[in-house]
Amino acid sequence: MQSFQKGFVIEPHFSVGDVLSRTISTLLDKPLFFFGLSALATLPSAVINSITFASGLTAFISFLVNLLFGLMIQGAIAYGVFISLAGDAPTWSEAIARGFRRIFQLFLIALIFWILCVFFIAVSSMLII
């Protein structure tokens, strides 16, 4: 039994093959959008590295710019995927604007994830000893 809701098909079973098929078809349906945004994520790193040498301060600034820009692009790609799955065509400007609006939340999620990873690595290393 299938029910429809704004372009989404809700099915009672889960299949990894269906998920991978849906992922690949979504990416290949709008390759310029998704792969273009992914390529755009490397732009700050290329610009900063071509202008300066990787000293302590410039390496740290490059890291921060890459982190924030990468989080913004991840938010833009996530928004594009949701819009695409809903049946609409995502636009670059709207996706980037949505990613920029959610950059603080994405940063908090990344920070919490990093803290949890460090915690679990520390705990697992104590258990091994």
Side-chain angles (χ1 to χ4, degrees):
M1 180 173 148
Q2 294 180 350
S3 62
F4 296 96
Q5 178 185 25
K6 279 195 162 188
F8 292 100
V9 177
I10 302 170
E11 301 204 16
H13 71 284
F14 177 80
S15 169
V16 173
D18 291 341
V19 171
L20 290 175
S21 173
R22 187 87 185 245
T23 301
I24 292 170
S25 68
T26 301
L27 290 176
L28 295 180
D29 187 34
K30 296 167 183 57
L32 182 63
F33 178 80
F34 292 112
F35 295 117
L37 279 177
S38 298
L40 188 64
T42 64
L43 187 63
S45 176
V47 169
I48 291 172
N49 290 337
S50 67
I51 294 173
T52 63
F53 294 108
S55 66
L57 181 61
T58 57
F60 181 71
I61 291 171
S62 176
F63 168 75
L64 284 180
V65 168
N66 285 328
L67 175 70
L68 294 176
F69 201 75
L71 289 172
M72 181 188 66
I73 294 297
Q74 287 176 19
I77 289 173
Y79 173 77
V81 167
F82 288 128
I83 292 299
S84 181
L85 289 176
D88 294 335
T91 62
W92 283 64
S93 59
E94 180 65 23
I96 290 173
R98 292 282 179 125
F100 186 72
R101 277 186 243 149
R102 300 288 183 205
I103 199 165
F104 182 69
Q105 290 92 344
L106 292 167
F107 178 75
L108 287 179
I109 290 170
L111 183 65
I112 290 169
F113 179 74
W114 180 80
I115 290 169
L116 288 174
C117 285
V118 169
F119 172 76
F120 285 120
I121 290 171
V123 168
S124 65
S125 66
M126 284 186 224
L127 293 176
I128 292 174
I129 294 176

